[in-house]
Structures are given as C-alpha cells and as structure tokens.
C-alpha cells in the first residue's frame, strides 16, 4: 500500500511543471519544486533565453519560489508572458530615455538659438550695438578734422 501511494505521488508530481531560475535564466522544470529524502522530484525540461537578472525583483522573487503550472503548455505560455512583459518594460524604458534625450537636446538647441539671436546687433533693452562699422569712420573723420584745424592754427601763428 505504501509503495502504491509513493508511486502515485511520484506519478502525480511528474505531471506538474514549474518555472525557476537555473544558471541565471528562466527554466521550465517537470515535477514539483521539492526534495523528498534527498531525492529531487523534478528535472529540467527546457531553458529559455530570459535572463533572470533582467527581470523586475517581483518576478525574481517568484522564480526563487518556483512558479507552479499544470502542464508543459501552461509553462511555455507563462514563459512567453514573462518575456513579453520584459520586452514591454524594456521598450518603455527606451522610450523614456529617448524622450529625455530629445528634451535635453531641444533645451540645449533652444538656449543656443536664443544666444545667437542676441548677437545680431541689438541688446535686450532695445539699444543698438555700438561696435558697428558705421561709427568707426565717423570718429576717425572727426579726429582728422580736429588735427587739420590744429595744424592750420599752428601754421597761421
């Protein structure tokens, strides 16, 4: 009777599946996530390409305990779901990073365009720039007129 019960329990355990971490990747196991008298009641069936370290902590915690499912198909569906959630999270992070990058670029280009618009010859108070080329000849002409007046006065004396 005991042998029959043990065999029945083992057969039932081998109809079960679970997902857990194995060598840093999500792995599908057949059996139950326990040992009985040093005997493992499960074995690896399939490793996925999902790295456990890339998953959110909540998923990692669940994988540490083992995510129990009823069949192999349910295990592959759960692994596919985890992969799709991971892909969504990565896409969301990339979109946020891209938006942040564009915001930074637009704020940088906005400040450089506003500084270049101020160098057009007028200041923010509306006065014109005095370093234009029109003012230099006028000052020089006035200097020349003063010099010529002084030389005339010196020659007349």
């Amino acid at each position: 009777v005991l042998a029959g019960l043990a065999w029945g329990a083992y057969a039932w355990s081998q109809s079960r599946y679970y997902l857990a971490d194995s060598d840093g990747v999500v792995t599908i196991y057949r059996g139950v996530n326990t040992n009985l008298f040093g005997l493992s009641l499960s074995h690896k069936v399939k490793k996925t390409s999902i790295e456990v370290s890339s998953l959110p902590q909540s998923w990692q915690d669940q994988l540490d305990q083992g995510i129990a499912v009823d069949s192999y198909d349910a295990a592959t569906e759960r692994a596919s779901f985890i992969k799709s959630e991971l892909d969504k999270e990565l896409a969301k992070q990339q979109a946020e990073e891209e938006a942040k990058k564009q915001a930074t670029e637009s704020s940088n280009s906005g400040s450089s365009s506003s500084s270049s618009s101020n160098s057009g010859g007028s200041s923010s108070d509306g006065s014109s720039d005095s370093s234009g080329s029109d003012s230099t000849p006028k000052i020089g002409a006035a200097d020349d007129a003063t010099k010529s007046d002084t030389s005339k006065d010196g020659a007349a004396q």
Side-chain angles (χ1 to χ4, degrees):
V1 174
L2 287 176
L5 286 175
W7 177 253
Y10 178 77
W12 171 83
S13 74
Q14 296 307 296
S15 69
R16 309 288 297 170
Y17 291 84
Y18 69 95
L19 289 93
D21 177 5
S22 175
D23 300 324
V25 295
V26 176
T27 304
I28 298 173
Y29 286 85
R30 182 178 188 173
V32 290
N33 190 14
T34 191
N35 291 330
L36 189 59
F37 304 114
L39 211 69
S40 176
L41 297 179
S42 65
H43 61 278
K44 296 176 190 175
V45 175
K46 180 182 178 186
K47 283 188 171 188
T48 67
S49 62
I50 307 167
E51 292 185 24
V52 174
S53 62
S54 65
L55 295 172
Q57 189 62 45
S58 61
W59 281 108
Q60 292 180 28
D61 293 343
Q62 288 181 38
L63 288 167
D64 285 342
Q65 300 297 317
I67 302 172
V69 292
D70 292 330
S71 66
Y72 178 76
D73 290 339
T76 56
E77 286 175 17
R78 179 62 62 101
S80 295
F81 175 75
I82 293 171
K83 177 72 170 150
S84 69
E85 290 297 308
L86 177 61
D87 291 344
K88 286 179 191 177
E89 184 65 28
L90 291 175
K92 180 181 173 184
Q93 288 175 355
Q94 287 176 346
E96 288 173 354
E97 288 174 6
E98 186 64 30
K100 197 180 284 186
K101 182 179 175 183
Q102 288 178 353
T104 302
E105 287 175 357
S106 67
S107 69
N108 287 343
S109 66
S111 64
S112 66
S113 66
S114 66
S115 66
S116 65
S117 67
N118 284 342
S119 65
S122 55
S123 64
S124 60
D125 63 357
S127 62
S128 62
D129 191 6
S130 63
S131 64
S133 60
D134 290 340
S135 61
T136 305
K138 291 177 185 175
I139 293 172
D143 287 343
D144 289 341
T146 307
K147 287 180 186 175
S148 64
D149 288 340
T150 312
S151 61
K152 286 180 188 176
D153 288 342
Q157 290 178 358

